[in-house]
Amino acid sequence: VATACLVLIVPLALMGAILFGSWTLDQTLPWPALPGFALVLLVTAGVIAAFRRFDIEGALWRCVLASLLLTASVYPFAIESLRSLKLSPRLAEAARSVCPDPAVMTLGYREPSLVFLTGTNLGMAASGQQAADFLKQPGCRVAFVEKRFAGEFEAALATLPAKPRQVTTIRGFNLNGGRKLDIAVFAKE
């Protein structure tokens, strides 16, 4: 019976973590995954019933079915709905919304995947002044400025004759650094 309880506790813990994370990070639920989660719970209840009847073979195939249903619910549906974990793709999308091939610099957000999504010419600013100077150069330019550097960057912008526009602010959770981030996207076209 203790083993049967583990078959219920592990999926419950995983589903609870996903629901909690989805709600706290994105204020939404992974709606497409919920029917699969319900099926997992039904099948795991069948596992416990099979263990109580000492039907080990029946419990085993139900465990396999529950794990397949959980995998089919989590990876394509639940994880996909956690937009807050996808900072780099959302930043790259925001940059491309300004112009098709902008020059991009980031200040404060150093994620390896950002290089692959924005191009190998991604600039890494060390200061707000460097990011502001980058935006005053010719051509379509986009700067990502993490909130910790906002004051320094705003002070540097005050020296520019033409102010860049703030396109959006991307909020999310950086798994690489383990913290919530607010990243403003500034553009000069």
Side-chain angles (χ1 to χ4, degrees), residues 3-90:
T3 304
C5 289
L6 279 177
V7 172
L8 182 61
I9 290 170
V10 171
L12 274 177
L14 179 62
M15 290 184 289
I18 289 170
L19 293 171
F20 177 77
S22 185
W23 185 256
T24 56
L25 294 174
D26 293 324
Q27 287 71 48
T28 188
L29 293 175
W31 295 107
L34 294 182
F37 286 177
L39 283 173
V40 169
L41 293 176
L42 285 172
V43 172
T44 55
V47 171
I48 292 171
F51 268 118
R52 284 190 174 158
R53 292 189 311 269
F54 297 103
D55 178 11
I56 303 303
E57 186 178 308
L60 179 63
W61 74 259
R62 285 177 179 87
C63 284
V64 171
L65 179 60
S67 68
L68 291 173
L69 286 170
L70 188 61
T71 301
S73 299
V74 169
Y75 289 106
F77 299 115
I79 299 298
E80 237 357 87
S81 70
L82 285 166
R83 284 194 43 87
S84 288
L85 299 180
K86 299 173 183 148
L87 285 167
S88 293
R90 291 168 54 212

Side-chain angles (χ1 to χ4, degrees), residues 83 85-97 99-106 109-124 142 144 170 174 183:
R83 284 194 43 87
L85 299 180
K86 299 173 183 148
L87 285 167
S88 293
R90 291 168 54 212
L91 287 167
E93 182 182 311
R96 283 190 299 276
S97 75
C99 63
D101 190 27
V104 180
M105 180 170 272
T106 181
Y109 178 66
R110 303 211 181 227
E111 176 64 39
S113 62
L114 190 59
V115 174
F116 297 111
L117 296 169
T118 61
T120 56
N121 59 349
L122 173 69
M124 303 278 184
V142 175
F144 305 137
I170 305 290
N174 186 9
I183 303 169

Side-chain angles (χ1 to χ4, degrees), residues 157-176:
L157 285 182
T159 65
L160 297 182
K163 305 290 184 256
R165 71 180 172 97
Q166 184 172 348
V167 176
T168 188
T169 298
I170 305 290
R171 291 177 177 84
F173 188 83
N174 186 9
L175 289 173
N176 196 13

Side-chain angles (χ1 to χ4, degrees), residues 122-168:
L122 173 69
M124 303 278 184
S127 68
Q129 186 63 53
Q130 189 179 3
D133 290 343
F134 169 79
L135 288 175
K136 72 180 180 183
Q137 295 175 21
C140 179
R141 297 186 168 270
V142 175
F144 305 137
V145 180
E146 203 264 315
K147 186 178 180 179
R148 293 175 296 152
F149 298 91
E152 177 186 338
F153 179 71
E154 293 290 336
L157 285 182
T159 65
L160 297 182
K163 305 290 184 256
R165 71 180 172 97
Q166 184 172 348
V167 176
T168 188

